Amino acid sequence: KKKVMDELTDLQVSLDAIGDFMIDTLGWIHLKSPPHSFGYDVSLPVPIGAEVTPEGLAHRAKMIVSKHKHIHDLIDALPGINRNEEEQLRVLAEMEEENARLGVEINDKVEEARRLKAEINSCLQELARDKISSLQ
């Protein structure tokens, strides 16, 4: 089940990355293009030699497509992605039942550990009293 969380984390990171990359690319195009290239005056200076090149655009497009494919693959790999809504709800209900059962088991184990700790503490106190009594 940890693998699913890793895939979900990877998916979230990839979605964030493609969004950031697309915003960066649009900003790059905006800042590095001549002021009138989009039909309006942005009144920003264009650094010398910073024109948008076909190679730079092609590289950025390839990066976006590559990240998009990775995201698509991650979505396709999610468990239950091909199930209909009714099946997904059934699986969620089963998982909730299992979660509740495991929660009860954990609580039982914690209570057992507390009981054992109290018993051990009691035994240690009794041993300490016996040792003190034997030294007197």
Side-chain angles (χ1 to χ4, degrees), residues 58-69:
H59 172 72
R60 287 176 176 271
K62 284 179 187 176
M63 294 295 293
I64 290 171
V65 169
S66 172
K67 186 58 76 173
H68 174 63
K69 182 181 178 335

Side-chain angles (χ1 to χ4, degrees), residues 6 12 31 33 38 45 52 64 73 82 93 107 120:
D6 291 342
Q12 183 62 54
L31 290 174
S33 295
F38 295 109
V52 175
I64 290 171
D73 292 343
N82 295 321
N107 287 335
I120 290 169

Side-chain angles (χ1 to χ4, degrees), residues 7 20 27 46 64 69 71 75 87 102 109 111 130 135:
E7 289 170 353
D20 290 345
V46 177
I64 290 171
K69 182 181 178 335
I71 289 169
I75 290 171
E87 291 171 329
L102 292 173
K109 297 291 182 187
E111 287 304 315
D130 288 349
L135 293 176

Side-chain angles (χ1 to χ4, degrees), residues 81-98:
I81 198 70
N82 295 321
R83 294 183 182 133
N84 63 33
E85 184 178 353
E86 184 179 301
E87 291 171 329
Q88 290 178 359
L89 290 172
R90 180 187 52 75
V91 169
L92 282 174
E94 289 172 2
M95 293 171 93
E96 286 173 353
E97 287 175 14
E98 181 181 8

